[in-house]
Amino acid sequence: MLELDGLTVTYGDLTAVDDVSFTVAEGEFCCLLGPSGSGKSTVLRAVSGFETPAAGRIRLDGADVTERPPNERDCSMVFQDWALFPYRSVRENVEFGLKMDGVPATERDARTDEMLELVEMAGYGDSRPAQLSGGQKQRVALARSLALDPDLLLLDEPLSNLDRRLRETMQLELKRIHDRVGTTMLYVTHDQDEAFTLGERLGVMNDGRLVQLDAPETVYDDPTDRFVESFLGTTNFVDCRVVDERGPTLGTPFGVDFEAPIDGAGLATGDAVVVSLRPERLSFAPAGRVGANSQAVGDGGEATVSVTTRVEETVYRGSDVRIRLSAGETTLFVEPSVASAPARATMLETRSSSPGRSFRSTVILRYRPIWTSPRRITVPSRLSHPATG
Amino acid sequence: MSLSDARWTRAFAALPARWRTVALLAPLLILDGVVFLVPMGYLFRLSLAERTTGGAFVEGSWSLSGYEYVAETPLVHEIFAFTMGFAVLVTALAVAVAVAYAYAAWRATGWWRTALLAGAVLSLFTTIVVKLFAVVLVFSPRGVLNDLLVGAGVLTEPLLLVDNPVGAVIAQLYIVVPYAVLAVYAVLSTLDDHLVEAARDLGADGPAVFREVVVPHARPGVAVAAVISFTWSVGAYPAPLLVGSGSEQTNAILVSQLLLAEFDWPAAAALAVVTVAVVLAALLAGLWRLDDGGELLG
């Protein structure tokens, strides 16, 4: 459907998009995720024809559209600020593209009605954009783009101007509309929740390059590099050292060693390895409730190591609690859900405690091998080899 | 005593909110009254005085003879019609040029934009007489333009572009176009690029974007440009006088003749009052039409 081949966009000396190649399949909902300035919106603008690539080709439905002006490409863009025409009614906005296409008035009317129905804005045909709320403008912008029945719908952070609750409603709405119309969609966002909610596949961009493009689970669980791991969610990066290359066994700064259930080929004793410990995968319990043996390897590759730490800080965040711990010479944070966290009273006690008074607790580093390779090492606790981290 | 004088500040703060607004507006109202309303009132009074051959007007008299003169003299009708036609033509041309020029400046980037805008602003630094002399230099039969066209073989004979009605129109355009450009550009500069992109994205080509997005947005600026061009051109005096053939008489020229040559002040004042009334009526009617969005008249 959409094929990008070595797409490169430069502004003077700055390379905004650097050799990006990927394809989007017919009917797919593909998300591009990245921090601001990572080039994701520029990719979208190049596809829609607003940026001229310095190199590379863009193919839509097999046809090379790289040189075509925006009005001759069968794709439509939903802008971040929606860009509704302020002097036109909702209806006139929606039928604008059809009018430009020379569609006869009766057909135009029918199509416009259908689109307004689709986005649940049927009663608002005569309103002006200024009279609508953000969410309604969003719907109209979507209807306006979909009215043309484009082969490809490009969405440039369309929900980022909405408040959180409305954003979540609109995400589900967008998913429903995608299921119904089946239009191929390329969606750009910096919000990972949005990307995970919407995307069938998810591309992570950084510094103009497409770092990884995979199913959301794969991107989260098996990141290509340390950037992806750090960009998605929050994590603890812990510097470890290979103690024994058989296993391999890694020494942690918490004072415990553990046998990483990964392929140790390419690792030598003394090598530095960065381990990513996802806070949501770490268990946390007050000291004394964990058995004395600090390391246990369970069946099915599940292994646990427990580390005794000191609670330094507790942040209550509604659905979970973020606890910063010091362990050996380094710090870790864990995010137990409120239900599984130690009693609130204990938490408050630690928070209100005067500096210097410490609260001992144990973190169980429960890790599960997810993917093993000499170069990309991930445990749940995930490890990444210095060569790629 | 400065404005920040505490005594005055306190006195001002002690006023009720409504009177504070009035107090802030007072300097403007006084200025308006002194330089505009009082002279207009005097002009109006003068237009109702008796005409006389023995002086400018009969002091203390009341008469409609000035208006009768305006209503009954065929020459005045002719000049009036010419003035209106001239103003409408200049307005139409000025607005067209201004929209095209402002659009070009808006589309341009970097040095081009600076150069185009400077071109519009710099011409305001010169006086009208210098400007009109420039018109003569450029457009006269031996002027720059004709030399270029004849030299390039486009024309065999130079075009007559000054000392005729065409010259009067060109000269008047020289005066009003910069203001019209700035009025349109000021509004155009608030046009969101994304609207243009959205239109392009929805299949509009260049001319369609201009027609469907740029022009509707520029509408208030076009209205202002039209008001400036029209009011100024109805009062056209130096351009038709200096660059026209001499037969392009406008109301302003006639008023000055009545005032200075014929010493007929009531007739001159009556013509001026009628002109002002017609301009105001035309502007209101025009704005009403241009303003279906309701942005200008509220």
Side-chain angles (χ1 to χ4, degrees):
Chain A
M1 169 64 244
L2 170 69
E3 272 175 77
L4 298 185
D5 184 6
L7 182 73
T8 302
V9 181
T10 54
Y11 301 116
D13 289 340
L14 182 87
T15 306
V17 176
D18 190 3
D19 194 19
V20 167
S21 305
F22 66 93
T23 60
V24 181
E26 183 82 50
E28 191 183 6
F29 200 127
C30 182
C31 279
L32 283 183
L33 180 65
S36 47
S38 60
K40 55 195 191 310
S41 287
T42 312
V43 168
L44 217 58
R45 290 178 57 79
V47 172
S48 60
F50 296 124
E51 301 292 345
T52 314
R57 311 308 300 173
I58 301 163
R59 277 181 287 274
L60 258 178
D61 253 344
D64 190 324
V65 298
T66 319
E67 313 290 335
R68 280 197 214 161
N71 49 322
E72 289 169 26
R73 300 187 186 200
D74 201 1
C75 57
S76 188
M77 174 113 122
V78 176
F79 292 82
Q80 184 171 2
D81 58 3
W82 314 310
L84 297 178
F85 303 121
Y87 308 108
R88 292 165 197 276
S89 67
V90 165
R91 169 166 278 282
E92 287 165 338
N93 263 282
V94 174
E95 69 176 2
F96 185 87
L98 299 167
K99 210 167 131 191
M100 292 299 112
D101 259 10
V103 175
T106 46
E107 207 178 307
R108 223 156 61 198
D109 279 352
R111 180 82 184 147
T112 305
D113 287 336
E114 189 189 329
M115 284 302 118
L116 289 176
E117 197 80 47
L118 178 72
V119 299
E120 293 172 357
M121 287 291 289
Y124 293 89
D126 296 325
S127 308
R128 295 258 170 169
Q131 297 168 307
L132 304 179
S133 69
Q136 290 172 325
K137 284 184 200 166
Q138 178 55 63
R139 287 163 193 267
V140 176
L142 196 60
R144 184 177 68 175
S145 283
L146 284 173
L148 281 166
D149 193 17
D151 287 345
L152 174 65
L153 188 67
L154 304 164
L155 301 109
D156 187 7
E157 310 212 19
L159 306 183
S160 60
N161 288 343
L162 304 179
D163 64 65
R164 191 188 155 123
R165 247 185 73 180
L166 190 54
R167 202 156 62 217
E168 283 167 3
T169 315
M170 285 303 296
Q171 285 166 9
L172 298 177
E173 186 81 343
L174 208 55
K175 232 178 148 88
R176 177 185 69 84
I177 290 171
H178 177 250
D179 289 346
R180 226 175 112 185
V181 297
T183 308
T184 315
M185 295 189 184
L186 182 58
Y187 190 105
V188 159
T189 180
H190 64 266
D191 179 340
Q192 51 166 314
D193 290 339
E194 200 163 293
F196 277 98
T197 308
L198 292 169
E200 290 163 12
R201 274 198 311 155
L202 208 152
V204 181
M205 287 195 67
N206 184 33
D207 263 350
R209 285 172 306 108
L210 181 65
V211 185
Q212 188 171 11
L213 177 66
D214 270 312
E217 308 81 51
T218 316
V219 175
Y220 193 81
D221 288 340
D222 184 14
T224 312
D225 67 9
R226 185 166 168 169
F227 168 77
V228 177
E229 178 76 359
S230 63
F231 185 66
L232 300 176
T234 47
T235 190
N236 297 285
F237 283 117
V238 177
D239 294 315
C240 297
R241 204 155 277 285
V242 179
V243 180
D244 186 344
E245 67 211 58
R246 285 162 308 162
T249 304
L250 302 179
T252 66
F254 317 127
V256 295
D257 295 348
F258 71 101
E259 192 175 312
I262 51 171
D263 182 357
L267 290 177
T269 303
D271 275 358
V273 171
V274 177
V275 179
S276 163
L277 300 170
R278 286 283 190 195
E280 74 271 15
R281 291 207 171 134
L282 298 175
S283 308
F284 173 87
R289 292 201 202 149
V290 184
N293 71 329
S294 63
Q295 183 170 355
V297 178
D299 49 11
E302 279 262 344
T304 58
V305 176
S306 68
V307 174
T308 305
T309 59
R310 230 170 53 187
V311 173
E312 298 289 347
E313 188 186 21
T314 309
V315 181
Y316 178 71
R317 304 202 303 176
S319 62
D320 61 22
V321 180
R322 172 177 283 205
I323 302 169
R324 196 161 62 83
L325 307 158
S326 66
E329 59 227 58
T330 179
T331 64
L332 270 184
F333 64 90
V334 292
E335 288 174 354
S337 71
V338 169
S340 71
R344 191 77 200 286
T346 329
M347 313 292 311
L348 290 175
E349 182 200 327
T350 58
R351 185 154 48 180
S352 60
S353 63
S354 52
R357 241 186 90 192
S358 62
F359 172 77
R360 296 194 68 78
S361 70
T362 304
V363 176
I364 301 173
L365 304 179
R366 178 170 287 137
Y367 58 91
R368 180 171 59 87
I370 293 161
W371 197 84
T372 58
S373 123
R375 305 208 65 79
R376 300 199 292 172
I377 304 170
T378 14
V379 243
S381 46
R382 256 166 296 178
L383 316 176
S384 60
H385 194 266
T388 56
Chain B
M1 182 186 65
S2 69
L3 271 179
S4 59
D5 193 296
R7 205 155 41 93
W8 282 90
T9 314
R10 265 200 304 277
F12 180 74
L15 287 172
R18 257 188 72 201
W19 288 107
R20 244 179 286 168
T21 312
V22 173
L24 285 173
L25 279 174
L28 194 66
L29 292 175
I30 293 168
L31 185 76
D32 236 13
V34 171
V35 305
F36 181 70
L37 285 179
V38 171
M40 264 320 272
Y42 188 64
L43 183 76
F44 189 63
R45 171 67 189 93
L46 210 55
S47 72
L48 292 169
E50 182 109 48
R51 298 167 70 198
T52 170
T53 46
F57 60 98
V58 181
E59 209 138 344
S61 63
W62 290 94
S63 154
L64 285 174
S65 59
Y67 291 95
E68 277 160 18
Y69 166 80
V70 171
E72 286 161 10
T73 315
L75 180 68
V76 175
H77 298 171
E78 253 172 61
I79 290 176
F80 212 106
F82 173 79
T83 306
M84 289 299 150
F86 177 81
V88 168
L89 178 67
V90 168
T91 303
L93 291 173
V95 167
V97 171
V99 169
Y101 192 103
Y103 182 57
W106 180 73
R107 287 284 301 266
T109 50
W111 279 105
W112 271 108
R113 177 179 285 189
T114 312
L116 284 170
L117 289 178
V121 174
L122 279 178
S123 75
L124 299 178
F125 291 0
T126 55
T127 64
I128 283 175
V129 175
V130 172
K131 232 184 264 190
L132 295 180
F133 189 62
V135 174
V136 174
L137 275 181
V138 174
F139 292 97
S140 71
R142 305 275 349 186
V144 180
L145 183 72
N146 273 312
D147 273 3
L148 272 177
L149 291 177
V150 174
V154 182
L155 298 172
T156 48
E157 286 281 300
L159 287 172
L160 285 177
L161 296 174
V162 293
D163 296 334
N164 59 9
V166 179
V169 170
I170 291 175
Q172 187 64 24
L173 281 175
Y174 251 61
I175 297 171
V176 297
V177 160
Y179 295 96
V181 166
L182 293 180
V184 176
Y185 181 79
V187 174
L188 216 49
S189 63
T190 63
L191 175 55
D192 181 2
D193 274 342
H194 281 166
L195 292 181
V196 173
E197 289 186 345
R200 295 276 287 161
D201 188 64
L202 293 164
D205 55 14
V209 169
F210 184 72
R211 192 179 65 237
E212 304 286 341
V213 178
V214 176
V215 171
H217 182 87
R219 223 177 156 119
V222 167
V224 172
V227 168
I228 294 172
S229 306
F230 185 74
T231 41
W232 207 324
S233 303
V234 167
Y237 180 81
L241 195 69
L242 299 178
V243 194
S245 66
S247 59
E248 289 80 30
Q249 293 239 335
T250 61
N251 285 7
I253 296 174
L254 181 58
V255 167
S256 81
Q257 270 176 2
L258 289 170
L259 272 178
L260 305 175
E262 319 219 344
F263 230 53
D264 188 350
W265 288 17
L271 180 56
V273 168
V274 171
T275 307
V276 169
V278 168
V279 168
L280 281 178
L283 285 182
L284 277 178
L287 281 183
W288 216 276
R289 265 186 56 78
L290 256 171
D291 187 46
D292 46 342
E295 289 92 358
L296 287 169
L297 297 178

